[in-house]
Amino acid sequence: MQVSRDASNQLAIDPNATERLSSLARSNPKEAIRQVASQFEAILLNQMMASMRSNGFDGEEDSSELGTYRGMLDQQMVNAMVQGGGTGLAEMLARQIEGVARIDKTATPAASSGMLPLPALPAAAAKAIRQYAEAAGTATAAPAPVAIPSERQAFVSTLLPHAGQAAERLGVAPELLVGHAALESGWGSRSIRHPDGRESYNLFGIKAGGAWRGESVATLTTEYVDGKARKQVESFRSYPSLQAAFDDYAKLLEGSRRYQRALNQGDNAQGFAVALQQGGYATDPAYARKLAGVAQSLLAR
């Protein structure tokens, strides 16, 4: 199957796609605007599909595999719709962007320059643009490493020996896995426990979907819906030990097509974090920046 190099088919939070768009903007600004507008339209359509899917159906099995294939199908449908002419939103966005660019360049009011006034963007489109910009910024901006307080050093020292084997399987530095565990568990302060107080050792916030056959525990967690944080109760996997938690984490990333880009990143904290966010590991729009910052701090210590 031939893959198009048109950047409008790619997420702009992919650093390579962003660089290509930047280069295109210098050589062919009008085409760059068209491709960016197409991305905005695709993101809005994806959000609409996700919103419809979130309603679910009675009797439908809740499994990560089913969700993955549904997401792939939705993405293909959106791509086909956008490439087939879309809804007209991309054209309107392109006109809006071109109009703003002309106003900025000439510093002349639209009426006096002979340009027709452009319609205001719909609220839904403006919201999609804001969320798109936030996601692109959090994924591509270089995170600043944060200092690790002395009381957190014990957490790192405890987990590093368990992270080694899993990190070798995934082709990444052990510090990246410990950083991920630190972010998900609040450096061990938000451990998921059973009602009787038993530790679940779920360091990575892995949920217990329909395919999970092990022990599980329900707890309150934060999910982001349409960019807003929302508290809800979810079921999470429970393990007998720290090593079992790292082994299952490695198995999850190895076996999922969504996270293949996260593999073999070595000590590239930024690449690892962006790949996990793109794969849908978490709903927090700033997840990649947070994870990369923690992991880089561990690498630099």
Side-chain angles (χ1 to χ4, degrees), residues 1-2 8 17 30 72 88 90 163 167 188 192 212 214 226 241 294 301:
M1 181 177 68
Q2 185 177 2
S8 64
K30 190 169 184 178
M72 294 169 62
I192 301 174
W212 175 245
D226 294 331
S241 65
V294 174
R301 72 188 184 96

Side-chain angles (χ1 to χ4, degrees), residues 31-163:
E31 176 61 17
I33 288 174
R34 184 193 69 79
Q35 292 192 16
V36 169
S38 294
Q39 288 190 14
F40 286 148
E41 181 179 36
I43 287 173
L44 179 59
L45 291 174
N46 267 318
Q47 289 181 341
M48 293 171 59
M49 294 291 288
S51 178
M52 289 187 288
R53 289 290 193 191
S54 67
N55 292 326
F57 299 94
D58 292 337
E60 185 176 59
E61 183 181 4
D62 179 21
S63 69
S64 59
E65 290 85 358
L66 180 61
T68 298
Y69 289 125
R70 278 199 312 234
M72 294 169 62
L73 174 61
D74 291 347
Q75 183 65 57
Q76 290 297 320
M77 292 172 62
V78 168
N79 284 345
M81 190 181 304
V82 172
Q83 293 303 309
T87 63
L89 176 61
E91 181 180 355
M92 187 183 71
L93 286 171
R95 291 180 57 219
Q96 185 82 13
I97 296 171
E98 288 175 354
V100 171
R102 287 197 296 269
I103 291 172
D104 288 344
K105 186 174 182 180
T106 62
T108 317
S112 61
S113 62
M115 296 191 318
L116 294 176
L118 295 172
L121 292 178
K127 180 179 180 181
I129 291 174
R130 287 197 303 271
Q131 293 181 346
Y132 173 90
E134 289 173 0
T138 57
T140 58
V146 294
I148 302 175
S150 57
E151 62 268 20
R152 293 178 177 175
Q153 294 294 344
F155 177 88
V156 177
S157 300
T158 299
L159 295 193
L160 271 177
H162 298 283

